[in-house]
Amino acid sequence: MRGSCRCKNISVAWQNIDFSLVPRACLCDYCAARGAAYVSKSGTGVEVLIRNAEFYRESAHGSRQATFHECSYCGDVVIATALIEDSLYAALNVACLDSWQRFPGPVCVNFSHHTPEQKRQRWLQNWCYPVHITGGNTDSASPLAEP
């Protein structure tokens, strides 16, 4: 399964064909403002390619346990990752997947009451792994340019 931000600066390839996964729409201010809803499946790998690092941004919100990978050119948040026990895990924003319409509608979730340890345990069980992030050609004037 493939996807990207709207301008194609950050693209993903996900080793998954399971469209029965229900996206989770986080109710925190950050995710709600972006309309983000995340899908993941334990044991499925994700490859992330950043075409232009100048328009790539990482941010942390709430408990600061997860890192959100965003394109500052088009404003999309593509994935959320967490480094757990020296391994990177991820959940993908369903809106950035090419086949987003094949997934069921998102369910609203609020994990703000979970401790950092509870969040890490949930991510270990449910998020994608392994995750590899590569790229970042800063020579391009626009993320729309071909690599």
Side-chain angles (χ1 to χ4, degrees):
M1 197 174 300
R2 298 195 176 281
S4 68
C5 62
R6 284 173 286 172
C7 71
K8 310 269 190 259
N9 185 43
I10 303 171
S11 61
V12 295
W14 183 21
Q15 298 168 350
N16 174 56
I17 56 168
D18 184 355
F19 290 100
S20 70
L21 302 169
V22 178
R24 300 165 309 277
C26 177
L27 296 176
C28 78
D29 292 340
Y30 171 80
C31 292
R34 286 156 182 78
Y38 301 95
V39 290
S40 60
K41 185 173 183 176
S42 178
T44 61
V46 177
E47 297 285 336
V48 181
L49 175 63
I50 300 155
R51 296 172 88 185
N52 186 336
E54 182 180 349
F55 297 104
Y56 169 72
R57 165 177 70 215
E58 294 181 1
S59 62
H61 306 278
S63 68
R64 307 188 73 74
Q65 297 291 307
T67 301
F68 297 88
H69 302 262
E70 313 165 359
C71 178
S72 61
Y73 189 83
C74 68
D76 287 345
V77 56
V78 180
I79 63 168
T81 62
L83 186 62
I84 305 170
E85 300 171 4
D86 295 323
S87 295
L88 195 59
Y89 291 79
L92 298 93
N93 183 356
V94 73
C96 293
L97 295 173
D98 293 345
S99 302
W100 63 269
Q101 70 279 8
R102 294 185 63 188
F103 287 93
V107 296
C108 295
V109 294
N110 183 350
F111 296 115
S112 61
H113 63 283
H114 286 195
T115 67
E117 181 57 30
Q118 288 172 317
K119 289 179 183 181
R120 282 190 300 275
Q121 286 304 313
R122 188 179 74 251
W123 297 338
L124 274 170
Q125 293 172 359
N126 299 307
W127 280 20
C128 305
Y129 172 83
V131 178
H132 300 284
I133 301 174
T134 58
N137 176 7
T138 57
D139 296 332
S140 301
S142 162
L144 301 174
E146 290 298 317

